[in-house]
Amino acid sequence: MPESTINALIPWLIVLLALIVLLAMSVRVVAEYERGVIFRLGRLVGAKGPGIFLLIPFIDRMVKMDLRVVVMDVPAQEVITRDNVTVRVNAVIYFRVVDPQAAVVKVADHIRATSQIAQTTLRNVLGQSELDELLANREKLNDILQDIIDKQTDPWGIKVSTVEIKEVELPETMRRSMAAQAEAERERRAKIIHAQGEFEASTKLAMAADVIAKEPVTLQLRYLQTLTEIASERNSTVIFPVPIDLISMFMKKFGGDSKKDEKQG
């Protein structure tokens, strides 16, 4: 190829190369879970995506926003409850971007801002709750935290779906006190149950005594049943109760005979 032809093609090759570079700078691809927020000469144009679209080189600028749910650990916070107990609490928060334009324009770093809001809200809400409420009504506190954080992040285009308190760390002295309280409560319940059992047993025994008093034969049946139970245990010693009435009858008889003998003597 003549040198003159090559020299003539060089400008066209440069232009073609520049067009290819500009086209590469213009083409943008946004995934299904992303949105591209477009700025044209510094002014907000809107959010585009998902798919492929073109930008004006050196004029348009795009900021990608991820719309997937973000799972973020809230660092452990030292909280003083309303009943003056110091606890250490951590939590987890689930949120996502629902308005990518607001998340770009209205807040510099939406993830860090949401984290700070979650930390301060966690301290404030738990500081107004008592320890028993924190331990027993955790679901209620989770709903309160979610509602407050969601209202504060709503202007930024952030939707907080769930807030969960993960762990509550108590001081060692408080754990020992709670263990002693729980043990005392269990002993109290055991004593109450034992007393109720004694009361019910005494009531039934009184009813049984009334039946036996009306029908003396039932007492003999009980003796026979007791002997059967003792014999089944293979004991070497058998203690059999003898009715006092039977003994007193013999005592009266022998007593009467001795008195007759004394009179005769």
Side-chain angles (χ1 to χ4, degrees):
M1 184 178 293
E3 185 177 355
S4 59
T5 304
I6 296 176
N7 293 334
L9 291 176
I10 289 177
W12 293 103
L13 292 175
I14 294 174
V15 172
L16 180 62
L17 181 62
L19 290 176
I20 293 174
V21 172
L22 291 176
L23 182 62
M25 295 174 60
S26 301
V27 175
R28 291 289 185 272
V29 177
V30 176
E32 182 67 30
Y33 56 85
E34 295 177 329
R35 294 295 182 271
V37 181
I38 310 300
F39 292 90
R40 180 164 296 163
L41 296 177
R43 296 182 63 86
L44 178 64
V45 176
K48 293 185 178 181
I52 184 172
F53 52 90
L54 298 177
L55 298 179
I56 301 175
F58 308 108
I59 296 178
D60 291 347
R61 183 175 67 90
M62 184 186 73
V63 179
K64 283 186 178 182
M65 291 300 300
D66 196 326
L67 304 185
R68 292 177 294 183
V69 175
V70 178
V71 182
M72 182 177 61
D73 286 325
V74 180
Q77 304 295 311
E78 293 282 350
V79 179
I80 300 177
T81 60
R82 191 167 60 183
D83 49 353
N84 296 324
V85 178
T86 302
V87 294
R88 189 175 178 85
V89 184
N90 59 1
V92 61
I93 180 173
Y94 298 81
F95 66 94
R96 64 186 181 91
V97 176
V98 294
D99 187 354
Q101 300 182 41
V104 174
V105 175
K106 295 185 178 181
V107 62
D109 187 347
H110 66 282
I111 294 180
R112 184 173 181 273
T114 304
S115 175
Q116 295 297 320
I117 287 292
Q119 294 179 40
T120 55
T121 305
L122 183 66
R123 288 194 298 268
N124 294 336
V125 171
L126 299 186
Q128 299 174 3
S129 305
E130 295 185 355
L131 179 62
D132 292 340
E133 184 179 2
L134 175 59
L135 297 176
N137 299 327
R138 192 172 297 185
E139 293 183 359
K140 177 182 177 181
L141 294 176
N142 291 338
D143 294 337
I144 295 174
L145 289 169
Q146 185 270 333
D147 184 64
I148 294 175
I149 298 174
D150 185 52
K151 288 181 180 178
Q152 293 178 333
T153 59
D154 184 67
W156 304 337
I158 306 297
K159 174 62 180 177
V160 178
S161 57
T162 306
V163 178
E164 292 287 343
I165 299 174
K166 293 200 303 182
E167 185 178 3
V168 179
E169 298 181 8
L170 298 174
E172 183 65 26
T173 56
M174 180 57 64
R175 287 200 291 263
R176 288 198 297 265
S177 299
M178 294 179 65
Q181 180 183 0
E183 184 177 358
E185 178 66 20
R186 287 193 296 269
E187 290 180 357
R188 183 184 69 86
R189 294 179 181 176
K191 290 180 180 179
I192 292 175
I193 294 173
H194 181 71
Q196 290 178 347
E198 291 290 339
F199 175 76
E200 293 178 1
S202 62
T203 303
K204 297 297 182 181
L205 287 174
M207 296 172 62
D210 292 339
V211 174
I212 292 174
K214 295 177 181 178
E215 298 292 338
V217 179
T218 57
L219 185 60
Q220 301 298 328
L221 295 176
R222 287 296 302 166
Y223 290 159
L224 295 176
Q225 184 178 0
T226 303
L227 284 176
T228 304
E229 294 176 356
I230 294 175
S232 63
E233 295 180 359
R234 297 180 180 179
N235 293 324
S236 59
T237 303
V238 177
I239 299 175
F240 182 70
V242 178
I244 297 177
D245 296 339
L246 182 62
I247 298 174
S248 61
M249 182 178 64
F250 286 104
M251 291 177 65
K252 289 180 180 179
K253 181 177 180 180
F254 287 110
D257 293 341
S258 60
K259 288 180 181 180
K260 290 179 181 180
D261 295 338
E262 290 178 355
K263 288 180 181 181
Q264 292 175 0

